[in-house]
Amino acid sequence: MSDPTPNRRIAIADLRYASEMPAIPAHPSAPTGHVADRLHRPLHDLRISVTDRCNFRCSYCMPREVFDKDYVFLPQSSLLSFEEITRLARLFVAHGVRKIRLTGGEPLLRKNIEVLITMLAELRTPQGQPLDITLTTNGSLLAKKAQALKDAGLRRVTVSLDGLDDTVFRRMNDVDFPVADVLHGIEVAQNVGLAPLKVNMVVKRGTNDHEIVPMARHFRGTGSVLRFIEYMDVGATNGWRMDEVLPSAQVVERIAQHFALQPLEASEPGETAQRWRYADGQGEIGVISSVTQAFCGSCNRARLSTEGKLFLCLFASQGHDLRALLRGAYSDEQIAGAIGLIWQQRSDRYSQLRASGSAAAGERRVEMSYIGG
Ligand code: SAM
Ligand code: SF4
Ligand code: SF4
């Protein structure tokens, strides 16, 4: 009989199933609304992956040779339910989380995602404020879903779009999806008030870098903020090479040759993007330089995987199994205590170590589609 899980997939499956059972403090104290890690970074931002599935096969994220028809995605029973996600989110908020981003895989593929948004929109900070809830999507289902998302309480969306040229875009999503449908989704989202909308473009040198200026020209003056992301070495399957990374400084230079730019101050602590405004007032752009200018020093983000493992870094190889606590007989106090302990012990700073040449070589990492971007 042939092996149903060929070697090339075992690495990913092994990592998905590897996890640490969180320690429960003997006498958990109530969360204080602030918890800091070993590098004094607070917990502020929670990214929740609601599905590991996607209808695109972007080569930098879910290359089709790996995520093919034989790839075993998580079964429905493994996924956190909306009630489980909301229970955890409430505990994270008690520790200081103010921003929740739903992601994936493609989050709009999760059935009834708007119900989850309604549940999360009801959460309040200890000061009685609503959370900043947002979602990152490939935009393919946005035209259909935008109104329901808005009605459920979503405030904003980020749409990933890697080029305006239809041939380039179809090649990058690798499922022949037309760019016009994503552009239509963006328009519908703007019309229903999911704004200000952000558009994320991953730049791969030699693949779509010639789309930088056309993208800037297209989104200038529309109210949408275009952000350029350096192609990252996330996961273990995308065949990342440094020579395919176009440093953000060059992105800015290329745009500045056409439109005068002025730097902007960060608008919030831990902001990942460096921001620039068009000197003529036609809006702003951002660059996210994860490779050439690591921002680990202010990284206040935790990631909750589709099946409830807590990851402390995009480049982690192991998560902390919060689902085991949710599905065990643990109280909110105990689970909140466990989350606090995990965060206090965090010292992750992969991008900084990569930049200084001291990142552990050859260490395997979970896929971005599993822990969420
Ligand atoms: N499917 C949704 C989407 O594409 O927006 C949400 C999940 S996706 C993993 C989240 C973000 O991660 C997207 O903006 C995507 O472009 C980005 N991303 C994925 N792989 C990346 C890589 N290797 N380097 C940089 N960004 C990446
Ligand atoms: Fe899917 Fe988003 Fe990954 Fe592309 S980047 S394969 S759209 S999860
Ligand atoms: Fe945060 Fe890890 Fe990225 Fe550094 S490498 S910014 S610690 S997610």
Side-chain angles (χ1 to χ4, degrees):
M1 209 175 90
S2 66
D3 179 357
T5 51
N7 281 341
R8 66 199 158 93
R9 275 190 294 278
I10 284 175
I12 303 168
D14 280 349
L15 287 177
R16 280 189 309 183
Y17 301 120
S19 66
E20 252 178 64
M21 186 67 187
I24 306 279
H27 304 288
S29 46
T32 60
H34 180 84
V35 60
D37 71 7
R38 286 191 188 160
L39 303 177
H40 313 293
R41 298 168 298 188
L43 172 54
H44 182 270
D45 190 341
L46 179 64
R47 302 192 172 192
I48 305 175
S49 173
V50 292
T51 177
D52 61 340
R53 291 163 200 259
C54 187
N55 54 343
F56 282 14
R57 286 292 176 273
C58 310
S59 62
Y60 52 69
C61 177
M62 294 180 79
R64 64 162 55 255
E65 310 78 60
V66 177
F67 295 87
D68 59 11
K69 63 179 181 15
D70 296 326
Y71 181 78
V72 184
F73 288 97
L74 296 170
Q76 186 69 23
S77 59
S78 289
L79 272 50
L80 289 189
S81 68
F82 291 168
E83 287 72 22
E84 288 173 326
I85 291 175
T86 308
R87 182 177 174 203
L88 281 182
R90 184 178 295 114
L91 303 179
F92 275 95
V93 170
H95 276 301
V97 161
R98 294 293 174 267
K99 183 169 165 187
I100 292 184
R101 178 177 294 279
L102 300 180
T103 176
E106 174 47 42
L108 298 187
L109 288 181
R110 178 81 186 249
K111 209 168 155 207
N112 300 326
I113 183 78
E114 56 281 5
V115 174
L116 174 63
I117 291 167
T118 309
M119 292 163 75
L120 295 174
E122 283 167 6
L123 297 179
R124 291 290 174 274
T125 68
Q127 294 74 35
Q129 301 297 315
L131 302 174
D132 181 8
I133 302 174
T134 179
L135 175 147
T136 303
T137 173
N138 63 25
S140 58
L141 299 169
L142 195 53
K144 207 160 76 187
K145 295 257 187 179
Q147 187 67 58
L149 296 171
K150 176 71 181 170
D151 294 346
L154 192 71
R155 299 190 171 185
R156 301 179 283 114
V157 282
T158 299
V159 181
S160 304
L161 177 65
D162 296 333
L164 284 177
D165 179 90
D166 194 48
T167 309
V168 172
F169 185 68
R170 285 177 194 253
R171 198 183 311 133
M172 290 200 74
N173 63 55
D174 212 10
V175 293
D176 214 24
F177 196 87
V179 73
D181 290 14
V182 177
L183 292 174
H184 178 54
I186 290 175
E187 201 184 310
V188 175
Q190 274 166 335
N191 290 344
V192 303
L194 288 170
L197 191 136
K198 286 182 184 154
V199 177
N200 278 356
M201 172 177 174
V202 174
V203 179
K204 257 183 111 171
R205 192 202 289 266
T207 303
N208 67 339
D209 57 317
H210 57 290
E211 288 290 293
I212 292 170
V213 174
M215 285 280 283
R217 184 172 286 119
H218 181 87
F219 286 105
R220 244 171 72 81
T222 63
S224 294
V225 178
L226 178 59
R227 303 187 315 169
F228 300 90
I229 306 180
E230 285 178 351
Y231 169 40
M232 288 186 287
D233 48 339
V234 283
T237 60
N238 66 7
W240 182 86
R241 295 199 329 249
M242 186 65 201
D243 62 2
E244 289 185 311
V245 178
L246 184 79
S248 292
Q250 291 186 35
V251 172
V252 173
E253 250 173 58
R254 287 194 197 182
I255 296 174
Q257 282 170 9
H258 298 263
F259 311 106
L261 292 172
Q262 295 164 344
L264 285 169
E265 292 294 317
S267 61
E268 55 183 69
E271 190 166 64
T272 50
Q274 289 167 290
R275 299 158 59 229
W276 301 77
R277 69 183 286 277
Y278 291 112
D280 61 2
Q282 291 298 302
E284 67 173 77
I285 59 156
V287 289
I288 303 182
S289 320
S290 333
V291 178
T292 60
Q293 262 186 290
F295 39 77
C296 302
S298 59
C299 179
N300 54 21
R301 290 175 294 286
R303 293 180 160 82
L304 187 61
S305 80
T306 315
E307 53 177 352
K309 287 180 190 150
L310 175 60
F311 286 85
L312 303 177
C313 177
L314 193 49
F315 298 89
S317 50
Q318 192 157 308
H320 302 261
D321 191 359
L322 298 184
R323 191 188 63 185
L325 304 186
L326 288 171
R327 296 187 183 174
Y330 294 98
S331 65
D332 280 358
E333 290 69 30
Q334 288 175 309
I335 301 178
I339 293 170
L341 267 188
I342 293 168
W343 191 263
Q344 281 164 352
Q345 287 161 11
R346 173 184 191 243
S347 59
D348 304 59
R349 51 190 185 104
Y350 173 82
S351 290
Q352 260 179 7
L353 297 177
R354 181 214 296 111
S356 64
S358 46
E363 192 169 330
R364 295 220 179 98
R365 300 186 286 261
V366 280
E367 296 300 303
M368 197 156 174
S369 52
Y370 170 71
I371 57 169

